[in-house]
Amino acid sequence: MTKALRAITVAAAGIGLASAATAQDQIVLRSADTHADGYPTVEAVEYMGELLDGWTNGRITVEVFPGRQLGEERDTIEQTMIGALDMNRVNLAPLNNIVPETAIPSLPYIFRSIDHMHRAMDGEIGQQIFAAMEEQGLVGLAYYDSGARSFYNTVRPITSPADMEGLRIRVQNSDLFVSMVEALGANATPMEFGQVYDALRTGVIDGAENNWPSYESTRHFEVANYYTLDQHSLSPEVLVMSKVTWDALSAADQELIRKAAALSVPYMRELWNERVEASRAAVAANGNEVISEVDKQPFIDAMGPVYEQFVTTPELQDLVDRIQSMP
Ligand code: GTR
């Protein structure tokens, strides 16, 4: 595509894909990601774009805007819902307040393992949650890995919920995560991802929680020395498309996009596993105190109120039961 044409389609995307695609031949899907270039989620969506580009001889392309260029997740989710942005790769957590079903895979300790999470999200459960998102204008395309989220802080090694008492912990913009942190006796501070580094450095917060690659890529590990592998949430990443964009596509193009998204999942998972190892190594080289032998039971026991607060309908309870009873 020529630079001029790309500029036109990008400008037109602000008023929806239908206008961008009036030329019918060129579809440029703009996609946001909070992570920097090179992060596995960014690479996966770029790969999906390369597949589409190849299959359509350049007719459909994806333009990824990494590193919060289009705003924090809260903003880009809104943009996607109204059709100002075509695609968005976010964590399920910032969707929890918008689509109650998305809270279920974010629940603390709901999955026994990453494998268990894959089986649920790659099957009927994942599809049911996609269907619920559609009512809010979001078409789910893929679930990506996000490993396990664990607590890190600047103050002390956490080995039990008692050690969390009084700490100010940043959480994502999700009431579920607020409730989880409060159930452990800490103070939850919802904050956008891009503000966490400075907040940790200046002592506005004492800690946060995330997986290995995010702890490392954001350099949070350089300011928050203690990382406790309590693995409280396996909340996966998700790639969504605006329903406004989706509905403007032909059925054949929708199918191509679904196919490319599906192929980007195993690609992402491989990159993810490599990145986890690289991040562990970077954190070890920095000499951080990693508390890996954690008795998870007291953390699990403290989570009862969180389930009570968020599993509030028979439908949500059914999702929980089906996940928990999976072999
Ligand atoms: C990361 C996730 C981001 C964002 C971030 C956060 O693990 O990939 O999408 O949700 O956590 O904590 O805000």
Side-chain angles (χ1 to χ4, degrees):
M1 180 190 318
T2 66
K3 263 201 178 133
L5 183 53
R6 180 173 289 247
I8 293 164
T9 54
V10 167
I15 47 168
L17 177 85
S19 339
T22 38
Q24 217 266 338
D25 38 352
Q26 291 291 336
I27 296 173
V28 181
L29 299 167
R30 300 162 77 240
S31 190
D33 200 308
T34 188
H35 288 296
D37 227 358
Y39 198 86
T41 51
V42 174
E43 299 260 313
V45 180
E46 279 172 353
Y47 174 71
M48 177 182 162
E50 282 160 27
L51 291 177
L52 287 166
D53 191 344
W55 294 342
T56 63
N57 287 323
R59 186 175 59 83
I60 305 180
T61 55
V62 174
E63 189 166 7
V64 182
F65 292 82
R68 290 187 292 283
Q69 284 175 52
L70 303 180
E72 297 280 0
E73 287 188 344
R74 183 209 287 261
D75 309 313
T76 59
I77 288 169
E78 272 174 25
Q79 291 170 34
T80 316
M81 285 167 71
I82 62 170
L85 177 60
D86 300 309
M87 298 202 316
N88 203 356
R89 196 295 312 160
V90 293
N91 190 255
L92 272 191
L95 293 172
N96 292 170
N97 293 0
I98 303 167
V99 182
E101 287 81 352
T102 64
I104 303 304
S106 299
L107 279 167
Y109 301 107
I110 182 141
F111 299 114
R112 293 181 299 274
S113 63
I114 298 285
D115 247 26
H116 182 197
M117 186 273 284
H118 284 168
R119 275 181 285 123
M121 304 316 287
D122 293 347
E124 269 175 38
I125 306 268
Q127 289 306 314
Q128 188 175 332
I129 294 168
F130 276 164
M133 286 181 197
E134 233 171 289
E135 288 165 34
Q136 298 303 328
L138 300 172
V139 176
L141 295 179
Y143 293 106
Y144 292 136
D145 275 26
S146 195
R149 297 181 76 95
S150 290
F151 291 108
Y152 49 84
N153 81 95
T154 60
V155 180
R156 55 179 172 253
I158 294 168
T159 56
S160 75
D163 297 322
M164 303 223 13
E165 185 70 39
L167 292 181
R168 280 160 305 167
I169 304 289
R170 175 269 174 175
V171 290
Q172 299 176 86
N173 189 24
S174 154
D175 294 345
L176 170 70
F177 277 75
V178 169
S179 165
M180 199 183 310
V181 163
E182 286 177 351
L184 293 168
N187 300 319
T189 308
M191 184 184 284
E192 295 296 349
F193 197 40
Q195 296 165 3
V196 180
Y197 180 86
D198 280 342
L200 282 170
R201 201 176 46 80
T202 57
V204 167
I205 52 170
D206 301 312
E209 46 87 53
N210 225 311
N211 51 46
W212 278 105
S214 286
Y215 179 46
E216 173 265 316
S217 67
T218 52
R219 314 208 77 78
H220 293 176
F221 74 103
E222 291 180 353
V223 278
N225 185 44
Y226 306 103
Y227 192 29
T228 296
L229 304 184
D230 61 285
Q231 305 185 319
H232 51 267
S233 177
L234 303 191
S235 185
E237 315 286 6
V238 64
L239 176 68
V240 292
M241 181 176 275
S242 172
K243 194 161 182 328
V244 177
T245 303
W246 182 255
D247 289 344
L249 294 166
S250 70
D253 285 349
Q254 290 177 347
E255 201 181 312
L256 285 180
I257 287 165
R258 283 223 179 273
K259 202 163 133 195
L263 288 171
S264 72
V265 173
Y267 180 82
M268 190 276 176
R269 286 182 181 162
E270 206 174 312
L271 292 179
W272 179 260
N273 293 335
E274 286 166 13
R275 183 60 184 248
V276 169
E277 288 321 309
S279 299
R280 275 179 190 271
V283 172
N286 193 52
N288 288 48
E289 187 167 337
V290 178
I291 300 96
S292 45
E293 295 304 313
V294 189
D295 178 8
K296 290 186 195 156
Q297 200 54 49
F299 288 88
I300 296 171
D301 292 345
M303 293 303 166
V306 181
Y307 277 71
E308 270 164 42
Q309 194 181 337
F310 293 92
V311 187
T312 48
T313 66
E315 288 74 25
L316 295 174
Q317 185 63 54
D318 181 59
L319 276 173
V320 170
D321 293 344
R322 278 157 55 213
I323 291 175
Q324 287 180 334
S325 65
M326 285 180 91

